[in-house]
Amino acid sequence: MIDLHTHSTASDGTDSPARLVEVAARAGIATLAITDHDTTSGWAEASDAAGRFGVGLVRGAEISAIARTTGWGTGVHLLAYLHDPAHPDLLVETERTRADRESRARRMVDLLAEDFPITWDDLLAQTKPGTTLGRPHLADALVAAGVVRDRDEAFATILRPGTKYYVGHYAPDAVAAVRAVRAAGGVPVFAHPGADARGRIVPDSTIEELAAAGLAGLEVDHRDHTPDTRRRLREVAESLDLLVTGSSDFHGAGKQNRIGENTTDPGVLEAIAAQGALEVLR
Ligand code: AMP
Ligand code: FE
Ligand code: FE
Ligand code: ZN
Protein backbone atom coordinates (compact mmCIF):
# COMPACT_ATOMS: atom_id res chain seq x y z
CA MET A 1 0.00 0.00 0.00
CA ILE A 2 1.23 3.47 -0.95
CA ASP A 3 -0.25 6.46 0.90
CA LEU A 4 1.05 9.82 -0.35
CA HIS A 5 -0.74 12.38 1.86
CA THR A 6 -0.47 12.42 5.68
CA HIS A 7 0.01 14.97 8.46
CA SER A 8 2.02 14.99 11.69
CA THR A 9 2.36 17.39 14.63
CA ALA A 10 4.62 19.51 12.38
CA SER A 11 1.23 20.82 11.20
CA ASP A 12 -2.29 19.72 12.12
CA GLY A 13 -1.86 15.96 12.56
CA THR A 14 -1.95 14.55 16.10
CA ASP A 15 0.91 12.01 15.79
CA SER A 16 4.58 13.01 15.95
CA PRO A 17 6.46 12.32 12.70
CA ALA A 18 8.02 9.17 14.22
CA ARG A 19 4.68 7.95 15.55
CA LEU A 20 3.07 8.63 12.14
CA VAL A 21 5.62 6.33 10.49
CA GLU A 22 5.01 3.69 13.17
CA VAL A 23 1.23 3.89 12.63
CA ALA A 24 1.84 3.48 8.88
CA ALA A 25 4.07 0.44 9.43
CA ARG A 26 1.42 -1.20 11.66
CA ALA A 27 -1.25 -0.53 9.01
CA GLY A 28 0.84 -2.30 6.36
CA ILE A 29 1.83 0.82 4.39
CA ALA A 30 4.90 0.08 2.26
CA THR A 31 5.53 3.70 1.22
CA LEU A 32 4.29 6.77 3.03
CA ALA A 33 4.51 10.47 2.19
CA ILE A 34 4.69 12.99 5.03
CA THR A 35 3.00 16.14 3.72
CA ASP A 36 2.58 18.70 6.48
CA HIS A 37 1.03 22.05 5.65
CA ASP A 38 3.66 24.57 4.45
CA THR A 39 6.59 22.93 6.27
CA THR A 40 9.26 20.25 5.98
CA SER A 41 10.15 20.37 9.70
CA GLY A 42 8.93 16.80 10.25
CA TRP A 43 11.24 15.28 7.61
CA ALA A 44 14.28 14.51 9.77
CA GLU A 45 12.35 12.67 12.48
CA ALA A 46 10.20 10.82 9.93
CA SER A 47 13.27 9.78 7.89
CA ASP A 48 14.92 8.32 10.96
CA ALA A 49 11.75 6.44 11.90
CA ALA A 50 11.26 5.18 8.33
CA GLY A 51 14.63 3.42 8.54
CA ARG A 52 13.75 1.87 11.90
CA PHE A 53 10.27 0.69 10.89
CA GLY A 54 11.14 -0.39 7.33
CA VAL A 55 8.69 2.01 5.68
CA GLY A 56 9.51 3.75 2.38
CA LEU A 57 9.31 7.53 2.79
CA VAL A 58 8.44 10.24 0.29
CA ARG A 59 9.40 13.59 1.77
CA GLY A 60 6.75 16.13 0.86
CA ALA A 61 4.61 19.06 1.95
CA GLU A 62 1.10 20.40 1.32
CA ILE A 63 1.42 23.95 0.02
CA SER A 64 -1.40 26.43 0.68
CA ALA A 65 -2.15 28.48 -2.45
CA ILE A 66 -4.87 30.62 -3.98
CA ALA A 67 -6.12 30.17 -7.55
CA ARG A 68 -6.98 33.58 -8.97
CA THR A 69 -7.44 32.38 -12.52
CA THR A 70 -11.19 32.89 -12.35
CA GLY A 71 -11.14 36.45 -11.03
CA TRP A 72 -11.97 35.58 -7.44
CA GLY A 73 -9.68 33.64 -5.12
CA THR A 74 -10.18 29.96 -4.42
CA GLY A 75 -8.01 28.27 -1.82
CA VAL A 76 -6.20 25.23 -3.22
CA HIS A 77 -3.72 22.77 -1.74
CA LEU A 78 -0.72 21.52 -3.72
CA LEU A 79 1.17 18.42 -2.65
CA ALA A 80 4.89 18.92 -3.30
CA TYR A 81 6.98 15.75 -3.40
CA LEU A 82 10.74 15.22 -3.20
CA HIS A 83 11.78 18.89 -3.50
CA ASP A 84 14.87 20.64 -2.18
CA PRO A 85 13.59 22.03 1.17
CA ALA A 86 16.10 24.90 1.09
CA HIS A 87 15.27 26.18 -2.41
CA PRO A 88 14.38 29.86 -1.95
CA ASP A 89 11.56 30.03 -4.53
CA LEU A 90 9.38 27.72 -2.45
CA LEU A 91 10.83 28.39 1.00
CA VAL A 92 10.19 32.15 0.83
CA GLU A 93 6.53 31.49 0.06
CA THR A 94 5.94 28.82 2.71
CA GLU A 95 7.69 30.94 5.36
CA ARG A 96 5.51 33.91 4.44
CA THR A 97 2.41 31.71 4.65
CA ARG A 98 3.47 30.27 8.00
CA ALA A 99 4.15 33.72 9.47
CA ASP A 100 0.75 34.97 8.33
CA ARG A 101 -0.92 31.79 9.64
CA GLU A 102 0.47 32.77 13.06
CA SER A 103 -0.82 36.38 12.82
CA ARG A 104 -4.16 35.01 11.64
CA ALA A 105 -4.34 32.57 14.56
CA ARG A 106 -3.67 35.49 16.94
CA ARG A 107 -6.49 37.48 15.33
CA MET A 108 -8.86 34.52 15.54
CA VAL A 109 -7.96 33.94 19.22
CA ASP A 110 -8.75 37.61 19.93
CA LEU A 111 -12.13 37.28 18.21
CA LEU A 112 -12.91 33.96 19.91
CA ALA A 113 -11.90 35.41 23.29
CA GLU A 114 -14.80 37.87 23.04
CA ASP A 115 -17.21 34.94 23.47
CA PHE A 116 -15.26 31.92 24.74
CA PRO A 117 -12.68 31.27 27.50
CA ILE A 118 -9.67 31.05 25.14
CA THR A 119 -6.22 32.65 25.31
CA TRP A 120 -3.10 32.58 23.11
CA ASP A 121 -1.42 30.43 25.79
CA ASP A 122 -4.25 27.89 25.46
CA LEU A 123 -3.49 27.67 21.76
CA LEU A 124 0.25 27.27 22.35
CA ALA A 125 -0.53 24.49 24.83
CA GLN A 126 -2.02 22.53 21.89
CA THR A 127 1.05 22.83 19.64
CA LYS A 128 4.75 22.10 19.45
CA PRO A 129 7.10 25.06 18.76
CA GLY A 130 7.46 25.54 15.00
CA THR A 131 4.15 23.88 14.12
CA THR A 132 2.31 25.35 11.12
CA LEU A 133 -0.71 26.82 12.90
CA GLY A 134 -4.19 26.23 11.57
CA ARG A 135 -7.83 26.16 12.56
CA PRO A 136 -7.45 22.58 13.86
CA HIS A 137 -5.30 23.93 16.70
CA LEU A 138 -7.94 26.55 17.50
CA ALA A 139 -10.44 23.68 17.52
CA ASP A 140 -8.25 21.78 20.00
CA ALA A 141 -8.16 24.82 22.30
CA LEU A 142 -11.96 25.05 22.08
CA VAL A 143 -12.23 21.34 22.94
CA ALA A 144 -9.86 21.77 25.91
CA ALA A 145 -12.00 24.70 27.12
CA GLY A 146 -15.11 22.51 26.92
CA VAL A 147 -16.74 24.66 24.24
CA VAL A 148 -17.07 21.88 21.62
CA ARG A 149 -16.75 18.08 21.67
CA ASP A 150 -14.20 17.62 18.89
CA ARG A 151 -12.55 19.20 15.83
CA ASP A 152 -15.49 18.18 13.63
CA GLU A 153 -17.95 20.11 15.78
CA ALA A 154 -15.66 23.16 15.86
CA PHE A 155 -15.35 23.13 12.04
CA ALA A 156 -19.10 22.66 11.57
CA THR A 157 -19.92 25.62 13.82
CA ILE A 158 -17.52 28.21 15.24
CA LEU A 159 -14.59 27.90 12.80
CA ARG A 160 -16.57 27.80 9.54
CA PRO A 161 -15.71 30.51 6.97
CA GLY A 162 -18.37 33.20 7.27
CA THR A 163 -18.57 33.23 11.08
CA LYS A 164 -17.40 36.37 12.90
CA TYR A 165 -14.34 34.42 14.08
CA TYR A 166 -13.03 33.36 10.67
CA VAL A 167 -9.95 35.14 9.30
CA GLY A 168 -8.10 34.16 6.11
CA HIS A 169 -4.34 34.04 5.65
CA TYR A 170 -1.75 34.80 2.98
CA ALA A 171 -1.02 32.10 0.42
CA PRO A 172 0.85 32.32 -2.89
CA ASP A 173 -0.85 32.26 -6.27
CA ALA A 174 -1.42 28.66 -7.38
CA VAL A 175 0.28 28.97 -10.78
CA ALA A 176 3.31 30.58 -9.12
CA ALA A 177 3.28 27.84 -6.47
CA VAL A 178 3.34 25.08 -9.13
CA ARG A 179 6.33 26.82 -10.75
CA ALA A 180 8.07 27.21 -7.36
CA VAL A 181 7.63 23.51 -6.56
CA ARG A 182 9.16 22.61 -9.95
CA ALA A 183 11.97 25.16 -9.49
CA ALA A 184 12.79 23.42 -6.20
CA GLY A 185 12.97 20.09 -8.03
CA GLY A 186 9.65 18.91 -6.60
CA VAL A 187 6.68 17.13 -8.12
CA PRO A 188 3.43 19.11 -7.73
CA VAL A 189 0.14 17.22 -7.34
CA PHE A 190 -3.19 19.01 -6.84
CA ALA A 191 -4.62 17.79 -3.48
CA HIS A 192 -8.36 16.99 -3.31
CA PRO A 193 -9.22 19.21 -6.31
CA GLY A 194 -12.92 18.25 -6.19
CA ALA A 195 -13.56 18.58 -2.44
CA ASP A 196 -16.59 20.83 -2.82
CA ALA A 197 -17.98 20.19 0.67
CA ARG A 198 -15.04 22.16 2.17
CA GLY A 199 -15.62 25.23 0.04
CA ARG A 200 -15.37 26.51 -3.50
CA ILE A 201 -13.49 24.35 -6.00
CA VAL A 202 -11.78 25.46 -9.21
CA PRO A 203 -13.15 24.92 -12.74
CA ASP A 204 -11.39 22.58 -15.19
CA SER A 205 -9.90 25.63 -16.92
CA THR A 206 -7.82 26.31 -13.79
CA ILE A 207 -6.55 22.72 -13.76
CA GLU A 208 -5.55 23.26 -17.41
CA GLU A 209 -3.59 26.40 -16.45
CA LEU A 210 -1.86 24.60 -13.60
CA ALA A 211 -1.01 21.72 -15.96
CA ALA A 212 0.52 24.20 -18.41
CA ALA A 213 2.61 25.61 -15.52
CA GLY A 214 4.00 22.16 -14.68
CA LEU A 215 1.43 20.34 -12.53
CA ALA A 216 2.29 16.62 -12.46
CA GLY A 217 -0.90 15.03 -11.17
CA LEU A 218 -4.31 15.08 -9.53
CA GLU A 219 -5.19 13.45 -6.21
CA VAL A 220 -8.33 11.71 -7.47
CA ASP A 221 -8.99 9.06 -4.83
CA HIS A 222 -9.66 11.04 -1.65
CA ARG A 223 -12.38 10.75 0.98
CA ASP A 224 -13.82 14.16 0.07
CA HIS A 225 -14.56 13.07 -3.53
CA THR A 226 -17.81 11.35 -4.53
CA PRO A 227 -17.66 8.48 -7.08
CA ASP A 228 -18.94 10.93 -9.72
CA THR A 229 -16.23 13.46 -8.91
CA ARG A 230 -13.56 10.75 -9.13
CA ARG A 231 -14.81 9.65 -12.56
CA ARG A 232 -14.80 13.23 -13.81
CA LEU A 233 -11.32 13.99 -12.41
CA ARG A 234 -9.94 10.78 -13.98
CA GLU A 235 -11.12 12.06 -17.36
CA VAL A 236 -9.55 15.48 -16.75
CA ALA A 237 -6.27 13.81 -15.73
CA GLU A 238 -6.32 11.61 -18.82
CA SER A 239 -7.03 14.50 -21.17
CA LEU A 240 -4.19 16.61 -19.69
CA ASP A 241 -1.77 13.69 -19.34
CA LEU A 242 -1.60 14.05 -15.55
CA LEU A 243 -0.76 11.32 -13.02
CA VAL A 244 -3.59 10.04 -10.82
CA THR A 245 -2.93 9.51 -7.11
CA GLY A 246 -5.01 8.35 -4.16
CA SER A 247 -4.28 9.08 -0.50
CA SER A 248 -5.78 9.15 2.97
CA ASP A 249 -5.01 12.74 4.10
CA PHE A 250 -4.54 11.13 7.53
CA HIS A 251 -4.45 13.61 10.47
CA GLY A 252 -4.19 11.10 13.35
CA ALA A 253 -7.03 11.45 15.85
CA GLY A 254 -7.87 14.89 14.46
CA LYS A 255 -10.03 13.65 11.57
CA GLN A 256 -12.03 10.57 10.54
CA ASN A 257 -9.57 9.71 7.72
CA ARG A 258 -7.90 6.31 8.30
CA ILE A 259 -4.36 5.75 7.07
CA GLY A 260 -4.28 3.78 3.78
CA GLU A 261 -8.02 4.29 3.12
CA ASN A 262 -7.08 5.47 -0.41
CA THR A 263 -3.84 4.45 -2.12
CA THR A 264 -1.65 5.16 -5.15
CA ASP A 265 -0.49 2.66 -7.80
CA PRO A 266 3.20 1.63 -7.67
CA GLY A 267 3.73 2.80 -11.26
CA VAL A 268 2.56 6.31 -10.34
CA LEU A 269 4.94 6.39 -7.38
CA GLU A 270 7.77 5.42 -9.74
CA ALA A 271 6.82 8.26 -12.10
CA ILE A 272 6.85 10.73 -9.19
CA ALA A 273 10.20 9.38 -7.97
CA ALA A 274 11.67 9.76 -11.47
CA GLN A 275 10.67 13.46 -11.55
CA GLY A 276 11.75 14.45 -8.02
CA ALA A 277 15.08 15.94 -6.92
CA LEU A 278 15.28 13.71 -3.82
CA GLU A 279 15.29 9.93 -3.45
CA VAL A 280 12.39 7.99 -2.02
CA LEU A 281 13.92 6.67 1.22
CA ARG A 282 13.61 2.87 1.33
P1 AMP B 1 -6.77 26.26 7.85
O1 AMP B 1 -5.86 25.88 6.72
O2 AMP B 1 -6.02 26.71 9.06
O3 AMP B 1 -7.85 27.22 7.45
O4 AMP B 1 -7.52 24.93 8.29
C1 AMP B 1 -7.91 24.00 7.34
C2 AMP B 1 -7.41 22.63 7.77
O5 AMP B 1 -8.32 22.10 8.71
C3 AMP B 1 -7.35 21.64 6.63
O6 AMP B 1 -6.01 21.40 6.30
C4 AMP B 1 -7.95 20.39 7.15
O7 AMP B 1 -6.98 19.38 7.29
C5 AMP B 1 -8.46 20.71 8.53
N1 AMP B 1 -9.88 20.38 8.66
C6 AMP B 1 -10.90 20.74 7.86
N2 AMP B 1 -12.07 20.25 8.32
C7 AMP B 1 -11.78 19.56 9.43
C8 AMP B 1 -12.56 18.80 10.35
N3 AMP B 1 -13.89 18.68 10.23
N4 AMP B 1 -11.92 18.20 11.37
C9 AMP B 1 -10.59 18.33 11.50
N5 AMP B 1 -9.81 19.02 10.68
C10 AMP B 1 -10.39 19.63 9.65
FE1 FE C 1 -4.88 19.66 7.50
FE1 FE D 1 -5.56 19.73 2.13
ZN1 ZN E 1 -3.87 17.42 3.89
Side-chain angles (χ1 to χ4, degrees), residues 12 37 77 101 104 134-136 151-152 155 251 254-255:
D12 56 0
H37 297 285
H77 286 170
R101 278 176 164 283
R104 173 257 203 155
R135 282 181 289 154
R151 284 185 178 183
D152 271 340
F155 270 88
H251 281 69
K255 261 180 146 181

Side-chain angles (χ1 to χ4, degrees), residues 219-238:
E219 186 184 55
V220 172
D221 290 314
H222 184 283
R223 157 182 295 251
D224 295 355
H225 292 162
T226 63
D228 248 18
T229 297
R230 295 180 196 210
R231 263 193 295 280
R232 200 181 60 73
L233 287 171
R234 268 199 174 73
E235 286 172 16
V236 174
E238 179 151 18

